[in-house]
Amino acid sequence: MNLTLREMILVALFAALTAIGAFIQIPTPIVPYTLQFLFCAYSGILLGAKKGLYSQLLYVGIGLLGIPIFVNGGGPTYVLQPTFGFLLGFILCAYVIGKATEKFQASLSFAKLLSSILLGLFIVYLFGVSYLYAIVNLYLHKEMAIMQAIAVGFTPYILPDIILSIIIAYTATRIIPILRRRGLVT
Amino acid sequence: MLTDITLGQYFPGKSPLHLLDSRTKIINTVLFITAVFFADNYLTYGIVTAFTLITVLMTAIPLRMILKSVRPLWVIILLTLLVHVFSTPGQIIFHAGPFAATAEGIRQGTFMTLRLVLLIIMSSLLTFTTSPIALTDGLERLLSPFKRVGLPAHELAMMMTIALRFIPTLLEETDRIMKAQIARGADFSSGNIIKRAKNMVPLLVPLFVSAFRRADDLATAMEARCYRGGENRTRMKELKMTGKDIVAFAIVIVLLIVLAGLKIVH
């Protein structure tokens, strides 16, 4: 794994922060949603691709082990939840956002950050909606058109998530310089 | 507010299940899950249901708490039941609109639903009777044979323990920062997107700064105490297999053999 002790602890702390994100529910006019994605994106932005991936992997692993840190609890049977695909998406999403922002190291602008985050968000939905589709059709043996899966898993959440992405990109442009000045991130 | 959330569902107790080694409980849970998949008729489903009921009663955990762990999956449970009842071909019992419920469907639906509920209950019993620390400890020991192929078992368990340890701490911190900033006039719940985004900055900056600082402090503290990974590390609470564990293994293995045998016979 080749991580220093400090890096391993940071991976653990960002897994903990993602769990906290799941507990913070923000009521919106359409659907209540959580800040999980914010911490997932930040784990990629602040820790980089590899460690971001580890932190999300650790988060999902702890939840599957049975500690209730997902939005609806936890445990191995959580893989049957139609929304489990979104959690799988987070793992890759942190990696992709990390990879994309690592590239722009020197000049992190709002536009570059936002495009990386939206790319990550796309991956979350790609996994989330396909998993939703697969679980309903293959496990429940219930006919569901892909359009229906999109209507249930995509349409109600995409607008708040895009707003959240803008918030993440904006706050990151302010936060990264502060953390760099203190020598906390590279 | 945020700090009202209780993390984990460990329910301390002195039941035979609580006293088992966490490794025994992890392995036996996996064995039981396998056994449940062998069940396919009234007799075998009866056996696994009875086994689950006896185990639940043995743990002395209030039934209310067990049911709470089933609740998040109720949509899936209900859908499993309905889909099987209405889509299995066979002798029609009654009609509900355009759908017909069949005798075979009701049987199949009941079995599938029961299987799902038993799986949820048994896997949640693991975390009800095992503290998170014992659980990660057990996991580390179970995964340590895979160290040879490059799986960092000790590091994985260490990171899990740290994450679990810091969830309540960071939760409290988030709460405190929010209150501190509200006291300074921050507004987290109104305004347009740009205003809200701006308001998030004074929450996120201290949160991340403190997370990074904690990581530094903890790394320094661990290195000052000569932490250098799992090699030759001793522990305060050694996991020990006792006679109880052997009995538990024997019971679950007998259950597994009986169910596999009945499956072959039929």
Side-chain angles (χ1 to χ4, degrees):
Chain A
M1 198 154 58
N2 294 329
L3 293 183
T4 65
L5 185 56
R6 176 177 183 266
E7 288 173 327
M8 283 195 270
I9 296 170
L10 277 175
V11 166
L13 289 188
F14 271 82
L17 283 173
T18 313
I20 292 169
F23 295 145
I24 305 176
Q25 296 213 346
I26 296 179
T28 65
I30 322 161
V31 278
Y33 79 105
T34 66
L35 286 185
Q36 255 171 319
F37 180 64
L38 182 136
F39 289 107
C40 164
Y42 263 112
S43 71
I45 295 170
L46 297 178
L47 300 183
K50 199 175 75 172
K51 281 171 270 168
L53 174 100
Y54 285 153
S55 75
Q56 297 305 303
L57 212 54
L58 189 65
Y59 169 66
V60 175
I62 294 174
L64 282 182
L65 196 62
I67 314 289
I69 55 173
F70 296 150
V71 175
N72 271 324
T77 42
Y78 211 82
V79 294
L80 294 178
Q81 282 271 15
T83 54
F84 184 69
F86 289 95
L87 289 169
L88 292 178
F90 283 154
I91 299 174
L92 201 65
C93 164
Y95 184 81
V96 167
I97 293 181
K99 258 282 175 275
T101 49
E102 272 168 17
K103 272 202 176 136
F104 311 134
Q105 263 313 343
S107 58
L108 268 182
S109 67
F110 174 77
K112 281 175 185 168
L113 271 167
L114 185 62
S115 54
S116 323
I117 294 164
L118 288 178
L119 182 67
L121 189 65
F122 172 74
I123 286 170
V124 171
Y125 276 99
L126 190 69
F127 273 73
V129 174
S130 355
Y131 198 91
L132 178 78
Y133 179 74
I135 207 113
V136 173
N137 279 286
L138 301 177
Y139 175 71
L140 292 173
H141 301 291
K142 196 167 174 263
E143 288 295 317
M144 184 199 216
I146 190 80
M147 288 316 290
Q148 238 176 318
I150 291 172
V152 174
F154 177 81
T155 322
Y157 302 96
I158 190 67
L159 192 66
D161 269 341
I162 288 176
I163 295 173
L164 187 63
S165 302
I166 297 171
I167 293 179
I168 297 167
Y170 173 79
T171 50
T173 54
R174 304 285 298 272
I175 290 167
I176 293 170
I178 297 175
L179 292 179
R180 275 193 185 150
R181 234 183 355 256
R182 299 190 178 199
L184 294 172
V185 288
T186 46
Chain B
M1 253 171 92
L2 278 176
T3 42
D4 289 341
I5 296 161
T6 47
L7 182 78
Q9 44 185 4
Y10 177 50
F11 192 82
K14 289 235 179 297
S15 78
L17 244 78
H18 283 87
L19 298 176
L20 288 179
D21 190 300
S22 57
R23 286 170 291 176
T24 313
K25 282 184 273 191
I26 297 172
I27 296 174
N28 281 336
T29 307
V30 176
L31 289 179
F32 177 79
I33 289 172
T34 322
V36 169
F37 279 96
F38 282 127
D40 60 354
N41 56 33
Y42 288 111
L43 174 66
T44 41
Y45 266 104
I47 295 173
V48 285
T49 312
F51 184 84
T52 310
L53 278 178
I54 293 168
T55 321
V56 168
L57 289 177
M58 254 166 56
T59 59
I61 291 166
L63 218 58
R64 182 174 45 85
M65 286 185 68
I66 307 259
L67 290 178
K68 234 168 93 182
S69 64
V70 179
R71 208 175 49 192
L73 280 153
W74 73 270
V75 179
I76 284 285
I77 295 171
L78 193 70
L79 276 175
T80 310
L81 181 68
L82 292 180
V83 165
H84 280 103
V85 166
F86 288 110
S87 68
T88 316
Q91 193 196 348
I92 292 165
I93 303 281
F94 66 90
H95 287 273
F99 304 108
T102 60
E104 286 80 359
I106 291 172
R107 197 180 102 111
Q108 194 65 15
T110 315
F111 282 172
M112 287 303 174
T113 314
L114 193 60
R115 171 191 287 181
L116 195 57
V117 172
L118 293 181
L119 290 180
I120 299 168
I121 291 178
M122 277 310 231
S123 55
S124 65
L125 274 190
L126 176 66
T127 38
F128 272 130
T129 60
T130 321
S131 73
I133 299 298
L135 201 62
T136 50
D137 243 15
L139 201 70
E140 178 184 345
R141 292 289 293 275
L142 284 177
L143 291 178
S144 55
F146 297 104
K147 267 185 199 161
R148 271 186 218 162
V149 291
L151 189 90
H154 170 76
E155 284 76 10
L156 213 61
M158 192 264 288
M159 288 195 288
M160 276 189 181
T161 314
I162 291 177
L164 289 173
R165 160 69 182 77
F166 276 98
I167 290 174
T169 312
L170 290 174
L171 204 55
E172 209 182 294
E173 194 134 297
T174 314
D175 193 46
R176 206 171 44 226
I177 296 169
M178 271 172 99
K179 281 182 183 144
Q181 302 294 23
I182 289 170
R184 292 181 177 88
D187 184 2
F188 295 113
S189 53
S190 65
N192 57 24
I193 302 172
I194 301 159
K195 223 176 142 203
R196 278 193 196 204
K198 277 190 176 146
N199 290 339
M200 289 290 278
V201 177
L203 170 65
L204 291 176
V205 169
L207 189 62
F208 287 132
V209 168
S210 106
F212 278 95
R213 277 215 189 120
R214 270 178 204 284
D216 282 341
D217 288 351
L218 189 58
T220 312
M222 284 168 81
E223 270 158 6
R225 287 163 182 78
C226 299
Y227 172 83
R228 51 188 171 87
E231 213 75 2
N232 296 327
R233 197 171 163 75
T234 55
R235 15 184 109 252
M236 190 164 157
K237 280 186 187 151
E238 287 284 346
L239 291 178
K240 226 182 272 158
M241 291 272 184
T242 58
K244 287 192 194 80
D245 295 285
I246 294 165
V247 173
F249 269 118
I251 294 171
V252 177
I253 287 170
V254 166
L255 176 81
L256 190 62
I257 291 171
V258 167
L259 285 172
L262 284 172
K263 170 108 179 169
I264 293 163
V265 170
H266 278 281

